[in-house]
Amino acid sequence: EDQVTQSPEALRLQEGESSSLNCSYTVSGLRGLFWYRQDPGKGPEFLFTLYSAGEEKEKERLKATLTKKESFLHITAPKPEDSATYLCAVQAVSGGGADGLTFGKGTHLIIQP
Amino acid sequence: NAGVTQTPKFRVLKTGQSMTLLCAQDMNHEYMYWYRQDPGMGLRLIHYSVGEGTTAKGEVPDGYNVSRLKKQNFLLGLESAAPSQTSVYFCASRWTGNNEQFFGPGTRLTVL
């Protein structure tokens, strides 16, 4: 059974204080690992897809990295508008690509001015 | 280009009542998905569809039925609602050659 564990559950940072969110996963074969951002009362918004260990992707203050067992979402010099819940999800090879994603519970990030 | 839309945004049902949630996408996506999101849990897949006229079960399909009569629409039905189906329901869609799923804004359902 595919599993995704995110840590910490919640994180409070001061504006400009860099940190990392962790996503550990167990999957029979990884087709892709996904990061989403979710604001209160809204649907998840796509951030990144990572496909193989060693891959990195960046977008503004966010950088996602992938190893064979986990992924990190690094947040550099965050701003209050980066406050959100960050979701990690995996897609297994066994599903043939058609089935859905297995999500973690998310990390609730608060950036204080 | 509206993306993925969901109707209704909110709904309150009594136990035993039925309802249908509508998901529509205008991106010509082949794949469509229904998830539910509960406090303290990750999004869980209910049903999905790989194309018009096809559906398949996800992780938590019991108590739900789906239909994909048109490519752009994916309907989620609750025949006899139960309090355990109180949740936020999200629809998503994607192209065949791209794994990125686009999500709708969600439907908040309360079953009393």
Side-chain angles (χ1 to χ4, degrees):
Chain A
E1 182 181 335
D2 304 333
Q3 287 191 329
V4 178
T5 303
Q6 292 187 245
S7 61
E9 290 185 9
L11 181 62
R12 188 181 297 267
L13 300 173
Q14 293 295 123
E15 183 174 0
E17 181 185 0
S18 301
S19 187
S20 298
L21 312 182
N22 178 262
C23 171
S24 298
Y25 64 90
T26 303
V27 64
S28 53
L30 182 68
R31 179 178 293 273
L33 184 140
F34 304 80
W35 282 99
Y36 284 83
R37 170 191 170 125
Q38 187 175 25
D39 292 300
K42 296 189 176 181
E45 176 187 346
F46 172 79
L47 293 174
F48 304 108
T49 308
L50 302 168
Y51 292 103
S52 57
E55 189 174 0
E56 299 182 353
K57 289 192 177 175
E58 289 188 64
K59 179 180 179 180
E60 296 181 356
R61 295 175 292 282
L62 300 177
K63 179 180 177 181
T65 62
L66 180 66
T67 71
K68 289 187 177 180
K69 293 184 177 180
E70 57 191 350
S71 176
F72 291 93
L73 184 65
H74 306 280
I75 303 176
T76 302
K79 299 181 178 181
E81 53 261 42
D82 294 322
S83 298
T85 296
Y86 291 85
L87 305 175
C88 175
V90 297
Q91 186 179 41
V93 170
S94 58
D99 57 352
L101 304 177
T102 299
F103 281 85
K105 297 178 182 180
T107 292
H108 182 50
L109 177 65
I110 298 173
I111 308 299
Q112 294 180 309
Chain B
N1 198 348
V4 180
T5 58
Q6 294 184 233
T7 308
K9 289 183 170 54
F10 302 94
R11 185 73 185 269
V12 178
L13 291 178
K14 293 182 180 179
T15 297
Q17 287 185 318
S18 64
M19 77 163 295
T20 300
L21 282 66
L22 171 64
C23 174
Q25 51 92 8
D26 61 1
M27 298 173 283
N28 202 35
H29 286 174
E30 288 291 337
Y31 295 177
M32 296 187 75
Y33 306 85
W34 276 107
Y35 293 88
R36 60 178 288 174
Q37 187 175 41
D38 302 293
M41 302 187 73
L43 284 139
R44 292 181 292 169
L45 182 67
I46 305 171
H47 286 281
Y48 65 97
S49 168
V50 301
E52 184 177 318
T54 71
T55 63
K57 294 180 179 180
E59 179 187 355
V60 288
D62 294 343
Y64 305 95
N65 56 76
V66 288
S67 63
R68 183 100 181 267
L69 299 180
K70 294 183 179 180
K71 185 177 183 179
Q72 64 268 33
N73 295 338
F74 195 26
L75 279 62
L76 178 71
L78 287 73
E79 291 188 348
S80 180
S84 60
Q85 294 177 304
T86 293
S87 187
V88 182
Y89 292 86
F90 288 101
C91 176
S93 69
R94 70 173 179 90
W95 285 295
T96 305
N98 187 331
N99 290 321
E100 173 189 339
Q101 293 187 18
F102 293 83
F103 282 80
T107 294
R108 184 173 295 274
L109 174 66
T110 301
V111 183
L112 302 175

